[in-house]
Amino acid sequence: QVQVVESGGGLVQAGGSLRLSCQASGVVASFDTMGWYRRLPGKQRELVATITSGGSTNYQDSVKGRFTISRDNAKNTVYLQMNSLKPEDTGVYYCNVGGETFGFGTFETWGQGTQVTVSS
């Protein structure tokens, strides 16, 4: 069973920064693409950024240049450094981890979500 534990959300003023962390654990063959999604108030969950095990990244256009996703493969941990935060970034941020099991195909696991609130 794969578990992910998120941390780092909170309240920050516009223009400020936060860093989210997500550590995955479990007996698996590999952790592959890891990423962050968010649910803004009144909207569906959307992709923020993803990163492959090889380090290739993908960002939503609205966060490019402000957010940076990175990972530490030795710790099975993915980070999201969020700078120049805006009130419209306010929402619940979810970690997503995908990978391969031993003999049972692929898996995908979601974190419980962490609240990010940006005040104006």
Side-chain angles (χ1 to χ4, degrees), residues 62-76:
S62 70
V63 307
K64 286 180 180 178
R66 300 188 298 124
F67 291 9
T68 302
I69 190 169
S70 62
R71 66 189 282 171
D72 183 335
N73 289 331
K75 296 180 179 180
N76 299 326

mmCIF file with all atom_site columns, all heavy atoms in Angstrom, residues 62-76:
data_model
loop_
_atom_site.group_PDB
_atom_site.id
_atom_site.type_symbol
_atom_site.label_atom_id
_atom_site.label_alt_id
_atom_site.label_comp_id
_atom_site.label_asym_id
_atom_site.label_entity_id
_atom_site.label_seq_id
_atom_site.pdbx_PDB_ins_code
_atom_site.Cartn_x
_atom_site.Cartn_y
_atom_site.Cartn_z
_atom_site.occupancy
_atom_site.B_iso_or_equiv
_atom_site.pdbx_formal_charge
_atom_site.auth_seq_id
_atom_site.auth_comp_id
_atom_site.auth_asym_id
_atom_site.auth_atom_id
_atom_site.pdbx_PDB_model_num
ATOM 1   N N   . SER A 1 62 ? -0.660 29.231 -15.858 1.00 0.00 ? 62 SER A N   1
ATOM 2   C CA  . SER A 1 62 ? -0.831 30.312 -14.894 1.00 0.00 ? 62 SER A CA  1
ATOM 3   C C   . SER A 1 62 ? 0.221  30.336 -13.797 1.00 0.00 ? 62 SER A C   1
ATOM 4   O O   . SER A 1 62 ? 0.350  31.333 -13.081 1.00 0.00 ? 62 SER A O   1
ATOM 5   C CB  . SER A 1 62 ? -2.229 30.248 -14.267 1.00 0.00 ? 62 SER A CB  1
ATOM 6   O OG  . SER A 1 62 ? -2.330 29.120 -13.418 1.00 0.00 ? 62 SER A OG  1
ATOM 7   N N   . VAL A 1 63 ? 0.977  29.253 -13.646 1.00 0.00 ? 63 VAL A N   1
ATOM 8   C CA  . VAL A 1 63 ? 1.987  29.205 -12.581 1.00 0.00 ? 63 VAL A CA  1
ATOM 9   C C   . VAL A 1 63 ? 3.409  29.247 -13.130 1.00 0.00 ? 63 VAL A C   1
ATOM 10  O O   . VAL A 1 63 ? 4.363  29.305 -12.350 1.00 0.00 ? 63 VAL A O   1
ATOM 11  C CB  . VAL A 1 63 ? 1.803  27.970 -11.675 1.00 0.00 ? 63 VAL A CB  1
ATOM 12  C CG1 . VAL A 1 63 ? 0.373  27.897 -11.153 1.00 0.00 ? 63 VAL A CG1 1
ATOM 13  C CG2 . VAL A 1 63 ? 2.196  26.685 -12.382 1.00 0.00 ? 63 VAL A CG2 1
ATOM 14  N N   . LYS A 1 64 ? 3.547  29.185 -14.435 1.00 0.00 ? 64 LYS A N   1
ATOM 15  C CA  . LYS A 1 64 ? 4.893  29.207 -15.031 1.00 0.00 ? 64 LYS A CA  1
ATOM 16  C C   . LYS A 1 64 ? 5.632  30.475 -14.622 1.00 0.00 ? 64 LYS A C   1
ATOM 17  O O   . LYS A 1 64 ? 5.077  31.566 -14.675 1.00 0.00 ? 64 LYS A O   1
ATOM 18  C CB  . LYS A 1 64 ? 4.795  29.113 -16.552 1.00 0.00 ? 64 LYS A CB  1
ATOM 19  C CG  . LYS A 1 64 ? 4.423  27.736 -17.062 1.00 0.00 ? 64 LYS A CG  1
ATOM 20  C CD  . LYS A 1 64 ? 4.347  27.708 -18.582 1.00 0.00 ? 64 LYS A CD  1
ATOM 21  C CE  . LYS A 1 64 ? 3.978  26.327 -19.085 1.00 0.00 ? 64 LYS A CE  1
ATOM 22  N NZ  . LYS A 1 64 ? 3.847  26.285 -20.574 1.00 0.00 ? 64 LYS A NZ  1
ATOM 23  N N   . GLY A 1 65 ? 6.884  30.309 -14.229 1.00 0.00 ? 65 GLY A N   1
ATOM 24  C CA  . GLY A 1 65 ? 7.688  31.438 -13.798 1.00 0.00 ? 65 GLY A CA  1
ATOM 25  C C   . GLY A 1 65 ? 7.519  31.796 -12.331 1.00 0.00 ? 65 GLY A C   1
ATOM 26  O O   . GLY A 1 65 ? 8.296  32.593 -11.792 1.00 0.00 ? 65 GLY A O   1
ATOM 27  N N   . ARG A 1 66 ? 6.493  31.240 -11.692 1.00 0.00 ? 66 ARG A N   1
ATOM 28  C CA  . ARG A 1 66 ? 6.267  31.522 -10.268 1.00 0.00 ? 66 ARG A CA  1
ATOM 29  C C   . ARG A 1 66 ? 6.454  30.274 -9.397  1.00 0.00 ? 66 ARG A C   1
ATOM 30  O O   . ARG A 1 66 ? 6.951  30.367 -8.280  1.00 0.00 ? 66 ARG A O   1
ATOM 31  C CB  . ARG A 1 66 ? 4.847  32.061 -10.056 1.00 0.00 ? 66 ARG A CB  1
ATOM 32  C CG  . ARG A 1 66 ? 4.542  33.347 -10.808 1.00 0.00 ? 66 ARG A CG  1
ATOM 33  C CD  . ARG A 1 66 ? 3.195  33.927 -10.388 1.00 0.00 ? 66 ARG A CD  1
ATOM 34  N NE  . ARG A 1 66 ? 2.080  33.034 -10.692 1.00 0.00 ? 66 ARG A NE  1
ATOM 35  C CZ  . ARG A 1 66 ? 1.203  32.604 -9.781  1.00 0.00 ? 66 ARG A CZ  1
ATOM 36  N NH1 . ARG A 1 66 ? 1.322  32.957 -8.521  1.00 0.00 ? 66 ARG A NH1 1
ATOM 37  N NH2 . ARG A 1 66 ? 0.201  31.818 -10.157 1.00 0.00 ? 66 ARG A NH2 1
ATOM 38  N N   . PHE A 1 67 ? 6.041  29.133 -9.910  1.00 0.00 ? 67 PHE A N   1
ATOM 39  C CA  . PHE A 1 67 ? 6.128  27.886 -9.150  1.00 0.00 ? 67 PHE A CA  1
ATOM 40  C C   . PHE A 1 67 ? 7.241  27.018 -9.742  1.00 0.00 ? 67 PHE A C   1
ATOM 41  O O   . PHE A 1 67 ? 7.456  27.007 -10.955 1.00 0.00 ? 67 PHE A O   1
ATOM 42  C CB  . PHE A 1 67 ? 4.822  27.098 -9.237  1.00 0.00 ? 67 PHE A CB  1
ATOM 43  C CG  . PHE A 1 67 ? 3.655  27.720 -8.517  1.00 0.00 ? 67 PHE A CG  1
ATOM 44  C CD1 . PHE A 1 67 ? 3.701  28.997 -7.994  1.00 0.00 ? 67 PHE A CD1 1
ATOM 45  C CD2 . PHE A 1 67 ? 2.468  27.002 -8.384  1.00 0.00 ? 67 PHE A CD2 1
ATOM 46  C CE1 . PHE A 1 67 ? 2.612  29.561 -7.343  1.00 0.00 ? 67 PHE A CE1 1
ATOM 47  C CE2 . PHE A 1 67 ? 1.373  27.550 -7.739  1.00 0.00 ? 67 PHE A CE2 1
ATOM 48  C CZ  . PHE A 1 67 ? 1.445  28.829 -7.219  1.00 0.00 ? 67 PHE A CZ  1
ATOM 49  N N   . THR A 1 68 ? 7.902  26.252 -8.873  1.00 0.00 ? 68 THR A N   1
ATOM 50  C CA  . THR A 1 68 ? 8.923  25.313 -9.309  1.00 0.00 ? 68 THR A CA  1
ATOM 51  C C   . THR A 1 68 ? 8.709  23.973 -8.627  1.00 0.00 ? 68 THR A C   1
ATOM 52  O O   . THR A 1 68 ? 8.631  23.902 -7.396  1.00 0.00 ? 68 THR A O   1
ATOM 53  C CB  . THR A 1 68 ? 10.334 25.816 -8.971  1.00 0.00 ? 68 THR A CB  1
ATOM 54  O OG1 . THR A 1 68 ? 10.551 27.103 -9.586  1.00 0.00 ? 68 THR A OG1 1
ATOM 55  C CG2 . THR A 1 68 ? 11.390 24.845 -9.474  1.00 0.00 ? 68 THR A CG2 1
ATOM 56  N N   . ILE A 1 69 ? 8.602  22.928 -9.441  1.00 0.00 ? 69 ILE A N   1
ATOM 57  C CA  . ILE A 1 69 ? 8.458  21.584 -8.905  1.00 0.00 ? 69 ILE A CA  1
ATOM 58  C C   . ILE A 1 69 ? 9.815  20.894 -8.950  1.00 0.00 ? 69 ILE A C   1
ATOM 59  O O   . ILE A 1 69 ? 10.589 21.082 -9.901  1.00 0.00 ? 69 ILE A O   1
ATOM 60  C CB  . ILE A 1 69 ? 7.395  20.768 -9.673  1.00 0.00 ? 69 ILE A CB  1
ATOM 61  C CG1 . ILE A 1 69 ? 7.074  19.462 -8.944  1.00 0.00 ? 69 ILE A CG1 1
ATOM 62  C CG2 . ILE A 1 69 ? 7.811  20.523 -11.117 1.00 0.00 ? 69 ILE A CG2 1
ATOM 63  C CD1 . ILE A 1 69 ? 5.856  18.729 -9.487  1.00 0.00 ? 69 ILE A CD1 1
ATOM 64  N N   . SER A 1 70 ? 10.112 20.131 -7.906  1.00 0.00 ? 70 SER A N   1
ATOM 65  C CA  . SER A 1 70 ? 11.371 19.383 -7.857  1.00 0.00 ? 70 SER A CA  1
ATOM 66  C C   . SER A 1 70 ? 11.129 18.106 -7.064  1.00 0.00 ? 70 SER A C   1
ATOM 67  O O   . SER A 1 70 ? 10.086 17.952 -6.413  1.00 0.00 ? 70 SER A O   1
ATOM 68  C CB  . SER A 1 70 ? 12.481 20.229 -7.219  1.00 0.00 ? 70 SER A CB  1
ATOM 69  O OG  . SER A 1 70 ? 12.144 20.561 -5.876  1.00 0.00 ? 70 SER A OG  1
ATOM 70  N N   . ARG A 1 71 ? 12.089 17.213 -7.101  1.00 0.00 ? 71 ARG A N   1
ATOM 71  C CA  . ARG A 1 71 ? 11.934 15.974 -6.354  1.00 0.00 ? 71 ARG A CA  1
ATOM 72  C C   . ARG A 1 71 ? 13.284 15.460 -5.894  1.00 0.00 ? 71 ARG A C   1
ATOM 73  O O   . ARG A 1 71 ? 14.318 15.740 -6.499  1.00 0.00 ? 71 ARG A O   1
ATOM 74  C CB  . ARG A 1 71 ? 11.201 14.916 -7.186  1.00 0.00 ? 71 ARG A CB  1
ATOM 75  C CG  . ARG A 1 71 ? 11.935 14.420 -8.393  1.00 0.00 ? 71 ARG A CG  1
ATOM 76  C CD  . ARG A 1 71 ? 11.022 13.547 -9.262  1.00 0.00 ? 71 ARG A CD  1
ATOM 77  N NE  . ARG A 1 71 ? 10.854 12.204 -8.727  1.00 0.00 ? 71 ARG A NE  1
ATOM 78  C CZ  . ARG A 1 71 ? 9.973  11.329 -9.204  1.00 0.00 ? 71 ARG A CZ  1
ATOM 79  N NH1 . ARG A 1 71 ? 9.191  11.666 -10.216 1.00 0.00 ? 71 ARG A NH1 1
ATOM 80  N NH2 . ARG A 1 71 ? 9.888  10.097 -8.695  1.00 0.00 ? 71 ARG A NH2 1
ATOM 81  N N   . ASP A 1 72 ? 13.232 14.696 -4.816  1.00 0.00 ? 72 ASP A N   1
ATOM 82  C CA  . ASP A 1 72 ? 14.400 14.008 -4.284  1.00 0.00 ? 72 ASP A CA  1
ATOM 83  C C   . ASP A 1 72 ? 14.080 12.523 -4.375  1.00 0.00 ? 72 ASP A C   1
ATOM 84  O O   . ASP A 1 72 ? 13.306 11.995 -3.559  1.00 0.00 ? 72 ASP A O   1
ATOM 85  C CB  . ASP A 1 72 ? 14.660 14.436 -2.838  1.00 0.00 ? 72 ASP A CB  1
ATOM 86  C CG  . ASP A 1 72 ? 15.910 13.813 -2.250  1.00 0.00 ? 72 ASP A CG  1
ATOM 87  O OD1 . ASP A 1 72 ? 16.316 12.737 -2.723  1.00 0.00 ? 72 ASP A OD1 1
ATOM 88  O OD2 . ASP A 1 72 ? 16.465 14.399 -1.318  1.00 0.00 ? 72 ASP A OD2 1
ATOM 89  N N   . ASN A 1 73 ? 14.627 11.861 -5.367  1.00 0.00 ? 73 ASN A N   1
ATOM 90  C CA  . ASN A 1 73 ? 14.293 10.457 -5.594  1.00 0.00 ? 73 ASN A CA  1
ATOM 91  C C   . ASN A 1 73 ? 14.758 9.564  -4.440  1.00 0.00 ? 73 ASN A C   1
ATOM 92  O O   . ASN A 1 73 ? 14.136 8.544  -4.157  1.00 0.00 ? 73 ASN A O   1
ATOM 93  C CB  . ASN A 1 73 ? 14.902 9.976  -6.911  1.00 0.00 ? 73 ASN A CB  1
ATOM 94  C CG  . ASN A 1 73 ? 14.204 10.574 -8.122  1.00 0.00 ? 73 ASN A CG  1
ATOM 95  O OD1 . ASN A 1 73 ? 13.006 10.893 -8.074  1.00 0.00 ? 73 ASN A OD1 1
ATOM 96  N ND2 . ASN A 1 73 ? 14.934 10.749 -9.206  1.00 0.00 ? 73 ASN A ND2 1
ATOM 97  N N   . ALA A 1 74 ? 15.819 9.943  -3.789  1.00 0.00 ? 74 ALA A N   1
ATOM 98  C CA  . ALA A 1 74 ? 16.309 9.139  -2.655  1.00 0.00 ? 74 ALA A CA  1
ATOM 99  C C   . ALA A 1 74 ? 15.320 9.160  -1.499  1.00 0.00 ? 74 ALA A C   1
ATOM 100 O O   . ALA A 1 74 ? 15.272 8.217  -0.702  1.00 0.00 ? 74 ALA A O   1
ATOM 101 C CB  . ALA A 1 74 ? 17.665 9.644  -2.208  1.00 0.00 ? 74 ALA A CB  1
ATOM 102 N N   . LYS A 1 75 ? 14.552 10.238 -1.384  1.00 0.00 ? 75 LYS A N   1
ATOM 103 C CA  . LYS A 1 75 ? 13.584 10.383 -0.293  1.00 0.00 ? 75 LYS A CA  1
ATOM 104 C C   . LYS A 1 75 ? 12.151 10.165 -0.775  1.00 0.00 ? 75 LYS A C   1
ATOM 105 O O   . LYS A 1 75 ? 11.215 10.311 0.024   1.00 0.00 ? 75 LYS A O   1
ATOM 106 C CB  . LYS A 1 75 ? 13.703 11.770 0.321   1.00 0.00 ? 75 LYS A CB  1
ATOM 107 C CG  . LYS A 1 75 ? 15.050 12.042 0.987   1.00 0.00 ? 75 LYS A CG  1
ATOM 108 C CD  . LYS A 1 75 ? 15.089 13.436 1.584   1.00 0.00 ? 75 LYS A CD  1
ATOM 109 C CE  . LYS A 1 75 ? 16.419 13.705 2.261   1.00 0.00 ? 75 LYS A CE  1
ATOM 110 N NZ  . LYS A 1 75 ? 16.475 15.067 2.852   1.00 0.00 ? 75 LYS A NZ  1
ATOM 111 N N   . ASN A 1 76 ? 11.976 9.873  -2.068  1.00 0.00 ? 76 ASN A N   1
ATOM 112 C CA  . ASN A 1 76 ? 10.619 9.709  -2.629  1.00 0.00 ? 76 ASN A CA  1
ATOM 113 C C   . ASN A 1 76 ? 9.747  10.915 -2.291  1.00 0.00 ? 76 ASN A C   1
ATOM 114 O O   . ASN A 1 76 ? 8.581  10.768 -1.904  1.00 0.00 ? 76 ASN A O   1
ATOM 115 C CB  . ASN A 1 76 ? 9.970  8.425  -2.123  1.00 0.00 ? 76 ASN A CB  1
ATOM 116 C CG  . ASN A 1 76 ? 10.731 7.184  -2.521  1.00 0.00 ? 76 ASN A CG  1
ATOM 117 O OD1 . ASN A 1 76 ? 11.325 7.124  -3.603  1.00 0.00 ? 76 ASN A OD1 1
ATOM 118 N ND2 . ASN A 1 76 ? 10.751 6.197  -1.648  1.00 0.00 ? 76 ASN A ND2 1
#
